[in-house]
Amino acid sequence: MPRYLTMIRIDERTAPAEGPSPELMERMGVLLEEMTKAGVMLDNAGLTPTADGTRATWSGGKVSWTDGPFTESKEVVGGYSIIQAKDKAEALEWTKRFLQTHEDYWTITAEVREILAP
């Protein structure tokens, strides 16, 4: 069965400073539990802010490092999940349900991509 990586993109400038509401976390927890019991959810987590990140760049035969925050970034990956679904349509349906757990004031983009088998 194919596996899919979903990258949750947020704008750190407009996301609520206090983070997700308790009600959102409860709704999300219910959905993630359902996905786990259905054998769909393989892994998921939120990520620390870009201020805590470091980028490694390979260019001209050398590695350079840039510590966050990354001022040129408006939209960043704030979390991810790896799911196993029968097809992309099922992966997109689970993603839709995840997005719908959020209150209307959130702006979130989810990028869903199939993971290539090794």
Side-chain angles (χ1 to χ4, degrees), residues 13-114:
R13 298 169 303 149
T14 61
E18 67 279 0
S21 69
E23 296 82 10
L24 166 56
M25 294 306 293
E26 183 178 336
R27 289 189 302 273
M28 192 182 304
V30 169
L31 178 61
L32 295 178
E33 183 177 340
E34 179 184 349
M35 293 175 76
T36 300
K37 286 180 179 176
V40 173
M41 182 61 68
L42 301 178
D43 190 22
N44 71 290
L47 300 173
T48 60
T50 58
D52 298 332
T54 301
R55 286 186 180 160
T57 302
W58 176 256
S59 179
K62 296 179 183 177
V63 175
S64 63
W65 303 94
T66 305
D67 290 330
F70 310 113
T71 56
E72 71 278 4
S73 295
K74 293 180 183 171
E75 188 179 74
V76 300
V77 177
Y80 74 94
S81 69
I82 299 175
I83 66 168
Q84 183 171 271
K86 65 181 177 196
D87 55 27
K88 188 173 183 180
E90 182 184 13
L92 293 175
E93 181 59 30
W94 285 113
T95 301
K96 176 183 169 184
R97 290 184 60 194
F98 173 81
L99 292 174
Q100 290 173 331
T101 65
H102 293 75
E103 292 90 357
D104 291 345
Y105 54 82
W106 283 88
T107 300
I108 302 173
T109 301
E111 181 180 341
V112 180
R113 296 171 62 184
E114 186 171 348

